[in-house]
Amino acid sequence: MKVVIVGGVAGGATAAARIRRLDEQAQIVVFERSGYVSYANCGLPYYIGGVITDPNQLTLQTPESFYQRFRVDMRVRHEVTAIHPEKKTVSVRNLATGEEFEEGYDKLLLSPGANPTQPPMSGLDDPRLFTLRTVEDTLRIRQFVVETKPKSVVLAGGGFIGLELAENLRELGLEVTIIQGIDHMLLQLDPEMAAFLHAKLREKGVRLLLGHMVEGFASTPGGIQVKLKQADPIQADMAVLAIGVTPDTALAKDAGLELGVRGSIVVNDRMETSLPHIYAVGDAVQVRHAVTGENTLISLAGPANKQGRIAADNICGGHSRYLGAQGSFVLKVFDMTVASTGLSEEAAKLAGLDCDKVYLAPANHAGYYPGGKIMMMKVLFERDTFRLLGAEIVGYEGVDKRIDVLAAAIHAHLTGPELKDLDLAYAPPYSSAKDPVNMAGFMMENLKDGLLRQFHWDEVDALPRDGSVTLLDVRTPQEYANGHIDGFQNIPLDELRERLGELPAGKPVYAHCQSGLRSYVACRILAQHGFTCYNLSGSYLLYATAKRHYSPAPTADPCGRQLP
């Protein structure tokens, strides 16, 4: 059997190695357009910033090492220019010599990836304008930074690449501006969760222009000008276009393969395309979203690697199936960690799902153990069934652990209340006896059982201030003095039982504290004294950050205690 693979990196290189492990006799040829067949895409910004100092560390395998280990014929700087399904051949151009030839196959695997999105606009040929997708792109940017020593950079796009570059270039001392077309960083996050990220970026000196569209670029004597729609242009020493990626599917289209979302390659759960003997994996393929069941694009390394393995299994006569992707990710932004899995609230509503959510702000480990830091968690669920739909976490240590647990729970089709039953590892330096994931389960169980009524940060300002409802802040007087929501009266939780007479009977109470825990306790007290009480989910911490992009010190305790 002869297998030709178009494209290396995550999907193609994984498939090549897996095929060899399954079939020692197979002839495997990989054509890679760039000069690097297997490299760490996610590490590229860190080489630009000098965190990774040796460019060789970016290369996971060379053609020589791949051949030595797997006897795979890796041909870099070779571009496949056409597919001929009727002949079972591909046309190839050697980019180093210009030679053109045809290569036959028994099975063909397409792993072309995606290209940086470049909408039609002026100035894309400016030498100070860069994109970042390949090792060659990385080396060009690093060389420019080292040799010309720019003082300022504009990043067009607030996704993964834009944020990672912002951190690395800012750490090098550059003035960094991020322009984002929507009103918040990271499309995968909801706006109120992204607000914590905005606060961190601004704290680190990154300028954010949210809700602005880039219209083009122009060369100037001092650098590059970034043109904005309905706003003044911005001058910088360099710019990076990072507004997303587009599936690289020209080959597939010309060959007559069925295309789907945004021109991606349609595949079944065996990674087979619409034409026999041709498979496809990675950023170029349409996948099923594991939560909604809808067709989508998810350009992440994890799914690409899994798809490469599955395609290889089936090429070799196996019966592996791809179950879809949740879009789980984790991202480092300075000392902050941002993570998500499944659907955002915006995506759930677009999918027509009736969803609700809980917010909580637990510490990453036991409160009595030194160094605890707060994370803000949002867990989304289907209103009637409590089926888990997604989760977002912004914080510091321990974020990655919790998002992985929640990702596994969604994959296993757990309901929200079942999170309380998970037997998770505990020791004071790592967690609390009631892990934050368990706490989210307790909250959803309380909602299901009617022990908790809640309202949300975006409903606060619409609450009447005419005395028809009681607005209650149960934090300490010092916390209240440091900042409070207009119209909320302050009765500390520990004084509430003795001051119940100050609350008008028969009127609903809307309560909040710093994170939602003390106000939940307040609501339980009030409910047993005849009041109807609603708890502000995420409480003042979320409200203040979402409304004002304010970020409190990460060592603050959400329960009002002072951490050691």
Side-chain angles (χ1 to χ4, degrees):
M1 178 177 66
K2 182 177 179 180
V3 182
V4 170
I5 299 175
V6 181
V9 197
T14 295
R18 177 69 171 173
I19 291 169
R20 175 57 72 228
R21 292 195 295 272
L22 296 176
D23 187 345
E24 184 64 18
Q25 306 306 317
Q27 182 183 355
I28 308 168
V29 181
V30 179
F31 294 113
E32 168 58 42
R33 184 169 46 197
S34 76
Y36 301 84
V37 72
S38 180
Y39 56 88
N41 288 82
C42 301
L44 301 182
Y46 298 99
Y47 175 72
I48 293 171
V51 177
I52 298 173
T53 57
D54 182 358
N56 293 323
Q57 291 180 317
L58 298 174
T59 305
L60 304 178
Q61 292 278 1
T62 65
E64 295 77 18
S65 67
F66 219 104
Y67 182 81
Q68 184 176 9
R69 176 67 55 84
F70 298 108
R71 295 301 190 267
V72 170
D73 184 3
M74 289 282 189
R75 304 187 200 176
V76 297
R77 303 286 295 157
H78 281 69
E79 181 178 17
V80 173
T81 58
I83 303 170
H84 311 290
E86 70 287 350
K87 297 190 296 181
K88 296 179 74 173
T89 66
V90 294
S91 296
V92 186
R93 179 185 297 116
N94 185 327
L95 298 178
T97 67
E99 175 195 5
E100 297 187 4
F101 58 93
E102 282 196 9
E103 189 85 18
Y105 64 83
D106 296 310
K107 302 289 184 181
L108 177 65
L109 174 62
L110 303 179
S111 180
N115 294 319
T117 302
Q118 293 187 328
M121 58 177 63
S122 61
L124 293 180
D125 58 348
D126 192 296
R128 293 176 177 267
L129 176 63
F130 301 89
T131 57
L132 179 57
R133 186 68 177 172
T134 66
V135 173
E136 288 91 344
D137 295 335
T138 306
L139 298 177
R140 280 193 292 269
I141 297 174
R142 177 64 181 174
Q143 181 181 14
F144 183 86
V145 169
V146 171
E147 292 182 355
T148 68
K149 295 179 172 54
K151 292 183 173 58
S152 59
V153 59
V154 171
L155 305 175
F160 300 134
I161 292 297
L163 289 169
E164 289 176 337
L165 274 175
E167 174 188 348
N168 281 279
L169 293 174
R170 184 67 187 138
E171 296 286 14
L172 289 177
L174 277 72
E175 295 178 3
V176 177
T177 299
I178 302 178
I179 301 170
Q180 176 76 327
I182 60 176
D183 63 358
H184 64 279
M185 299 289 111
L186 285 178
L187 183 62
Q188 295 85 352
L189 293 184
D190 288 311
E192 76 278 13
M193 298 298 288
F196 293 89
L197 176 59
H198 300 167
K200 174 58 65 176
L201 290 165
R202 288 171 174 144
E203 173 195 317
K204 294 295 185 178
V206 177
R207 180 189 181 198
L208 304 182
L209 292 180
L210 305 176
H212 286 74
M213 301 296 295
V214 174
E215 285 194 318
F217 303 88
S219 299
T220 64
I224 186 170
Q225 186 182 77
V226 183
K227 301 176 182 179
L228 302 180
K229 185 177 182 179
Q230 297 180 336
D232 293 334
I234 301 174
Q235 180 72 25
D237 295 331
M238 63 180 292
V240 180
L241 189 61
I243 58 176
V245 294
T246 301
D248 185 1
T249 56
L251 273 177
K253 180 179 180 181
D254 292 344
L257 272 67
E258 182 183 354
L259 302 182
V261 176
R262 290 177 54 199
S264 58
I265 302 171
V266 173
V267 293
N268 61 19
D269 61 1
R270 289 171 50 85
M271 309 314 298
E272 296 170 323
T273 69
S274 59
L275 293 181
H277 312 295
I278 302 178
Y279 298 74
V281 300
D283 293 354
V285 305
Q286 173 182 286
V287 299
R288 185 183 69 86
H289 197 287
V291 178
T292 66
E294 296 178 351
N295 294 325
T296 189
L297 280 174
I298 296 180
S299 300
L300 293 168
N305 274 276
K306 295 181 183 70
Q307 293 160 15
R309 178 185 173 93
I310 289 166
D313 287 353
N314 294 319
I315 285 171
C316 293
H319 301 283
S320 292
R321 306 282 177 174
Y322 186 62
L323 301 179
Q326 293 173 200
S328 304
F329 80 87
V330 63
L331 182 67
K332 174 184 178 296
V333 183
F334 296 101
D335 58 337
M336 177 173 274
T337 301
V338 183
S340 173
T341 187
L343 299 175
S344 67
E345 184 176 358
E346 290 182 340
K349 289 179 177 177
L350 284 173
L353 295 171
D354 184 15
C355 59
D356 201 351
K357 68 266 187 180
V358 293
Y359 299 94
L360 60 159
N364 64 301
H365 60 57
Y368 58 82
Y369 188 86
K373 294 184 179 180
I374 301 306
M375 64 182 78
M376 177 58 70
M377 300 174 60
K378 178 179 184 177
V379 184
L380 195 72
F381 58 93
E382 199 167 34
R383 193 179 303 275
D384 292 333
T385 66
F386 282 83
R387 175 172 71 108
L388 290 169
L389 301 176
E392 302 167 35
I393 312 178
V394 182
Y396 299 86
E397 288 83 6
V399 168
D400 54 339
K401 169 182 175 177
R402 275 71 188 206
I403 205 69
D404 282 345
V405 173
L406 289 163
I410 292 172
H411 179 80
H413 306 293
L414 297 187
T415 65
E418 287 177 314
L419 294 176
K420 75 182 190 304
D421 300 318
L422 295 179
D423 190 357
L424 304 175
Y426 159 63
Y430 301 105
S431 184
S432 300
K434 297 175 183 176
D435 188 85
V437 173
N438 297 136
M439 292 300 299
F442 293 143
M443 293 174 68
M444 284 180 266
E445 182 182 55
N446 285 338
L447 281 171
K448 184 178 181 181
D449 293 344
L451 294 177
L452 171 65
R453 293 183 173 93
Q454 60 181 6
F455 65 111
H456 297 295
W457 69 274
D458 53 351
E459 300 170 321
V460 170
D461 293 346
L463 292 173
R465 265 69 172 177
D466 60 1
S468 58
V469 300
T470 299
L471 306 180
L472 180 63
D473 182 334
V474 299
R475 297 177 299 160
T476 67
Q478 183 60 52
E479 289 175 295
Y480 187 85
N482 288 339
H484 58 270
I485 305 174
D486 290 343
F488 280 73
Q489 70 179 101
N490 181 219
I491 300 179
L493 173 62
D494 293 342
E495 301 175 14
L496 182 59
R497 290 180 179 85
E498 288 71 35
R499 298 175 62 179
L500 289 174
E502 299 178 29
L503 304 181
K507 294 182 180 180
V509 178
Y510 292 82
H512 82 82
C513 60
Q514 188 69 10
S515 71
L517 178 57
R518 282 175 288 170
S519 47
Y520 166 65
V521 174
C523 281
R524 294 307 307 144
I525 293 171
L526 293 171
Q528 294 174 77
H529 285 82
F531 292 89
T532 299
C533 186
Y534 298 86
N535 185 31
L536 177 56
S537 186
S539 265
Y540 186 78
L541 176 63
L542 177 64
Y543 174 85
T545 305
K547 298 293 289 187
R548 307 165 198 171
H549 295 171
Y550 159 75
S551 181
T555 53
D557 187 310
C559 296
R561 303 180 301 262
Q562 184 175 357
L563 291 175

